[in-house]
Amino acid sequence: MSTPGRAGKAGQGLQLAPFRGLRYVPERVGSLAAVTSPPYDVVVRPDGLRHLETADPHNIVRLILPQAASAADRHRLAADTLRRWQEEHVLAADPEPALYVYEQRGGGILQRGLIGALRLSPREEGVVLPHEDVMPHIVEDRAALMRGTGANLEPLLFSYRGNGSTTGAAAVIDRVTGTEPLLSTTTDDGYAHRLWSITDPDDLEAIGKDLSQQHALIADGHHRWATYLRLRAEQPAPGPWDFGLVLLVDTARYPLRVRAIHRLLHRLPVAQALAALEGSFRVRTIDGPLPEALDALAEASEASGAPGVSGASGEAGNAFVLAGDGRFHLLDRPDPELLARVVPTDRPEAWRTLDATVLHSVLLEHIWQVPDNPENISYIHETAAAVKQAERHGGTAVLMHPVQEDVVRELAEQGVTMPRKSTSFGPKPATGLVLRSLALN
């Protein structure tokens, strides 16, 4: 594949390059479903990790979350494993560069998009819009892993909004999905996955022309995008590090689902958390079960007029549920004077009233004084898993209500980032269906 140069003009749009995909050889593994994994940050450790490791000796989790005594050993192990799997023909490269159409179907959702190597661009170009801050220690870990393996092991999830027509990229996707796929599998979560390759020069040209008019929102993968940019800065230009593996989804045709990411406070028991809230929030106890608590959270969020939600009362406020002591505690109606005093005022109103902003500025930093580091806080996508871990270890799970995509995009277009781990877009692409080796591209 010829690699375009690094320089680019602001506003030139998305450049998605074909690449030689590195894929599992079906005859060398138990099943394609058994070697896939959710993205690295969704795997609920340690239970989820053990489940994936035992599903198949070649499960992709051994590359994205290798287990060893030290970080250096983990990254070295991943590099050795990737090299060995290629030598043993467990993984093999496709014969020619391609873009890939990827389809997920399940739970009433149909999502289709394009997997390719996206030209990296800084935020100032306005081509790729981040909406969340990142944690340096995660970027450092992912950078060491990518540097060691020389590979993009997982596609990031990006969204863009087409014009709703069935021309350009949409027409190619519609036509290609009517043909025989390269692979088809159904994973444990009930989602069916299919993958097709696009190599025809006319199709690639049509896609390129269409995407050149678009900009993308990072839906999932802020830390890995920051890692791509960091590694590109280390490498001579031009070269394969100028690009990173992504899945681009046109949300005008295939809207993404937005969920919240919950917080697990390891060292703060629920009783201590509640005691510190005196006068700052209204607190009501819900005996459960969990679905009832989540219904109450949704109702409180809608009534509060929170960002991205059509509130009935228009009251200023935010809502959370605390769990970990066998019951659920609904927090809402924060003290307006406290919010005015504590929440930073140098950002737009939509940012200042986000649940994630209030959680971090008011609850974590001001009231509970919990440092935002891995020793004190874990970020968990699955609600039941957050509650279970809090109950098991005596901590506090803070359950969040999701924000709407329009609010996320509006802030991103203003150049305003949300507090890290504010949203979870999905469905996320399965890891392990197609990898990108930089040695091949």
Side-chain angles (χ1 to χ4, degrees):
M1 180 187 79
S2 61
T3 304
R6 176 172 299 176
K9 297 179 181 179
Q12 69 182 117
L14 302 170
Q15 296 181 26
L16 193 67
F19 69 103
R20 290 182 64 196
L22 191 63
R23 298 190 294 113
Y24 280 99
V25 177
E27 295 78 13
R28 301 303 303 271
V29 297
S31 71
L32 289 175
V35 294
T36 64
S37 164
Y40 80 99
D41 58 340
V42 180
V43 177
V44 180
R45 303 172 72 173
D47 296 345
L49 180 63
R50 284 196 294 267
H51 170 74
L52 292 167
E53 285 181 329
T54 57
D56 188 283
H58 300 107
N59 189 283
I60 193 69
V61 78
R62 297 181 184 274
L63 299 182
I64 62 172
L65 288 173
Q67 298 301 294
S70 68
D73 288 342
R74 289 195 298 272
H75 304 140
R76 190 179 305 111
L77 175 61
D80 291 343
T81 301
L82 178 59
R83 181 171 55 254
R84 186 177 73 254
W85 286 358
Q86 291 179 82
E87 291 171 350
E88 296 173 351
H89 205 61
V90 173
L91 290 168
D94 284 337
E96 58 183 317
L99 295 181
Y100 297 85
V101 175
Y102 174 50
E103 177 189 277
Q104 293 168 277
R105 189 189 296 265
I109 292 175
L110 171 63
Q111 178 173 286
R112 288 171 175 162
L114 292 165
I115 294 178
L118 185 68
R119 184 187 72 88
L120 306 184
S121 59
R123 181 191 303 222
E124 306 82 68
E125 287 190 9
V127 177
V128 173
L129 305 174
H131 71 268
E132 288 185 356
D133 297 327
V134 298
M135 292 176 268
H137 73 279
I138 296 180
V139 175
E140 172 61 35
D141 178 75
R142 292 295 99 181
L145 179 65
M146 286 190 205
R147 195 184 295 117
T149 58
N152 300 153
L153 302 172
E154 305 181 85
L156 285 56
L157 177 60
F158 282 24
S159 71
Y160 71 98
R161 285 186 174 167
N163 59 15
S165 72
T166 54
T167 60
V172 176
I173 290 172
D174 286 349
R175 188 179 69 257
V176 168
T177 52
T179 65
E180 188 72 19
L182 286 176
L183 64 85
S184 178
T185 190
T186 300
T187 45
D188 288 345
D189 57 7
Y191 275 87
H193 307 260
R194 295 198 294 173
L195 193 75
W196 296 261
S197 67
I198 302 173
T199 58
D200 181 82
D202 291 338
D203 287 343
L204 295 175
E205 182 180 357
I207 291 170
K209 182 177 179 180
D210 190 353
L211 294 181
S212 70
Q213 308 301 312
Q214 304 291 341
H215 64 264
L217 176 74
I218 302 178
D220 185 69
H222 283 82
H223 289 90
R224 285 166 288 171
W225 180 254
T227 299
Y228 287 169
L229 294 173
R230 174 172 177 171
L231 293 175
R232 181 187 70 164
E234 299 175 0
Q235 305 295 326
W241 294 94
D242 290 350
F243 296 81
L245 187 64
V246 305
L247 165 65
L248 280 175
V249 175
D250 178 358
T251 53
R253 306 191 76 208
Y254 303 104
L256 295 177
R257 181 183 59 204
V258 188
R259 290 181 170 176
I261 301 177
H262 311 293
R263 275 64 169 162
L264 174 62
L265 313 182
H266 299 288
R267 299 176 178 177
L268 183 69
V270 174
Q272 185 178 335
L274 293 172
L277 294 173
E278 184 67 32
S280 58
F281 282 78
R282 181 175 70 167
V283 181
R284 291 174 286 165
T285 299
I286 302 169
D287 289 330
L290 177 58
E292 184 177 324
L294 294 178
D295 287 344
L297 175 61
E299 183 179 346
S301 296
E302 291 164 6
S304 71
V309 178
S310 300
S313 69
E315 291 179 344
N318 305 87
F320 312 92
V321 165
L322 305 189
D325 62 351
R327 297 186 296 174
F328 302 95
H329 309 275
L330 178 64
L331 279 55
D332 66 354
R333 299 186 183 179
D335 177 6
E337 293 183 1
L338 175 63
L339 297 181
R341 187 172 70 252
V342 174
V343 176
T345 59
D346 60 346
R347 305 282 184 92
E349 176 71 13
W351 180 89
R352 287 185 278 121
T353 53
L354 287 168
D355 283 344
T357 298
V358 173
L359 171 62
H360 282 262
S361 298
V362 179
L363 288 170
L364 295 178
E365 296 177 16
H366 180 73
I367 295 177
W368 294 330
Q369 299 181 7
V370 175
D372 190 359
N373 57 43
E375 290 73 30
N376 287 279
I377 303 178
S378 289
Y379 293 81
I380 299 181
H381 293 73
E382 294 298 328
T383 310
V387 174
K388 181 179 179 180
Q389 290 196 34
E391 292 178 344
R392 179 182 297 173
H393 301 293
T396 295
V398 183
L399 307 183
M400 310 278 287
H401 189 68
V403 64
Q404 290 188 357
E405 181 183 357
D406 287 346
V407 176
V408 177
R409 188 176 295 275
E410 176 188 344
L411 289 171
E413 289 175 347
Q414 296 177 54
V416 177
T417 55
M418 301 167 65
R420 49 189 171 236
K421 299 295 183 181
S422 294
T423 61
S424 176
F425 284 86
K428 303 178 190 302
T431 297
L433 297 181
V434 60
L435 291 65
R436 175 176 177 254
S437 169
L438 278 77
L440 299 170
N441 297 279

